[in-house]
Amino acid sequence: MAKFQKQGSEAGNGLPMVPVMLALATVVIWSGNTIVSKAAIDVIHPASIAFYRWVIAFLVLMPFVRRSAWNEREVTLRYAPKLAFLGLMGMVAYQSLAYEAAKTTTAVNMGVLIGLIPLVSAFLAALIANEQLTAARILGGIVSFVGLLYLTARGDMATLTSGGVHVGDGLMLVAVFSSALYGVLLKRWRIPISTWLQLWWQIGAAVMILLPFWMMSEKSPLTAVNLPLVLYAALPTSLLGPFMWMIAVRELGAARSSMFFNLFPVLVAVLAMILLGERLESFHYIGGGFALAGVLIGLRQPTGRLVAGT
């Protein structure tokens, strides 16, 4: 962490600029994947794109890590259960549960529950990874959550209670917990192999977990129409994004990194305007403004410098 400070590359609040930019870039990429998912609905089965993306990512990364994978096989085997669990939490659980939840709950409920990720991460990080549970992080999480409530409800807060409670809401809570736990365990475990190699083994675990589900589902072949969507999901979303996120979590901590999730619906709205021609309404600006303000509050340094273990 000190290396970022020695380079003099810091944001205005004392945070190292490089991991901050990596976290932001990751959320931008993952927001773009939401647009891809919408475009993929009519051209490829969800189970197929979920499986293909990780298989492609695994194969693309293999030539670059196979030598280190062999050289570090003994230490990797010692940490194999942890790598597999990270693959389950980070590459499989959240996305699979969110897809199942969408079948039985509303988009409003899902958006609200996703807004809990930073707060859940902050509490888990304090409990598991010895990160400080500061007032700024709690306040930032609450401010962003209010903004996301307003944005998700499209400015009509009454819609938050009109949809009722569904089975999918419980699935989304588990999905939110798995996403938060993934970030916290990345920080807590500090597995002593390279980031790319960690990512490769996590992806491999995801492929093995998803394989039986893909085999039992309706299968969609790769075509000229759906291949670009699969490649976006496989390369920037499944390779570059997780790699940058792992570095951001390592340097910023799980709680701070998770604050960037609050920008997710805001960025999706902007990308939808640019790529799909959707209009930005007043609730986008109001809710997005609160979400951004909460992120800035949550990223504040309580001591003015980055302290090890926070």
Side-chain angles (χ1 to χ4, degrees), residues 153-186:
R154 302 178 69 85
D156 183 5
M157 301 299 278
T159 62
L160 298 176
T161 57
S162 62
V165 178
H166 310 276
V167 173
D169 297 330
L171 295 177
M172 274 306 300
L173 282 174
V174 178
V176 164
F177 181 83
S178 68
S179 178
L181 183 61
Y182 175 75
V184 172
L185 292 180
L186 275 178

Side-chain angles (χ1 to χ4, degrees), residues 85-98:
F85 189 74
L86 288 172
L88 173 63
M89 292 292 101
M91 281 73 179
V92 177
Y94 177 81
Q95 296 170 14
S96 300
L97 289 169

Side-chain angles (χ1 to χ4, degrees), residues 12-238:
N13 56 6
L15 289 172
M17 180 64 75
V18 173
V20 167
M21 295 306 296
L22 289 178
L24 180 59
T26 302
V27 176
V28 171
I29 289 173
W30 288 344
S31 300
N33 193 56
T34 300
I35 306 300
V36 167
S37 298
K38 290 182 179 180
I41 291 175
D42 297 325
V43 296
I44 187 171
H45 192 274
S48 291
I49 191 172
F51 181 67
Y52 295 156
R53 63 182 285 195
W54 294 117
V55 171
I56 293 172
F58 183 82
L59 295 176
V60 168
L61 191 53
M62 181 186 295
F64 303 99
V65 300
R66 61 182 181 183
R67 179 172 297 180
S68 60
W70 176 255
N71 292 337
E72 300 182 53
R73 61 190 183 280
E74 293 184 2
V75 64
T76 301
L77 285 173
R78 290 202 301 270
Y79 288 92
K82 291 182 176 180
L83 289 167
F85 189 74
L86 288 172
L88 173 63
M89 292 292 101
M91 281 73 179
V92 177
Y94 177 81
Q95 296 170 14
S96 300
L97 289 169
Y99 171 69
E100 288 298 323
K103 296 179 180 178
T104 55
T105 190
T106 64
V108 170
N109 287 19
M110 291 181 69
V112 169
L113 293 171
I114 289 173
L116 291 174
I117 289 179
L119 290 172
V120 175
S121 295
F123 284 103
L124 285 178
L127 182 65
I128 299 174
N130 297 319
E131 294 187 26
Q132 294 180 4
L133 185 60
T134 64
R137 292 180 191 175
I138 297 175
L139 178 61
I142 293 173
V143 171
S144 285
F145 186 61
V146 170
L148 294 179
L149 286 177
Y150 191 81
L151 191 154
T152 304
R154 302 178 69 85
D156 183 5
M157 301 299 278
T159 62
L160 298 176
T161 57
S162 62
V165 178
H166 310 276
V167 173
D169 297 330
L171 295 177
M172 274 306 300
L173 282 174
V174 178
V176 164
F177 181 83
S178 68
S179 178
L181 183 61
Y182 175 75
V184 172
L185 292 180
L186 275 178
K187 175 72 174 180
R188 176 69 177 85
W189 282 343
R190 293 278 189 165
I191 298 173
I193 59 177
S194 71
T195 304
W196 279 121
L197 190 54
Q198 284 190 54
L199 179 59
W200 188 64
W201 282 115
Q202 290 178 36
I203 292 173
V207 170
M208 296 303 296
I209 294 168
L210 288 170
L211 177 59
F213 296 98
W214 173 73
M215 293 180 66
M216 292 184 294
S217 71
E218 176 185 339
K219 298 174 183 62
S220 299
L222 291 174
T223 66
V225 176
N226 63 37
L227 182 58
L229 304 176
V230 173
L231 289 178
Y232 184 90
L235 301 180
T237 304
S238 301

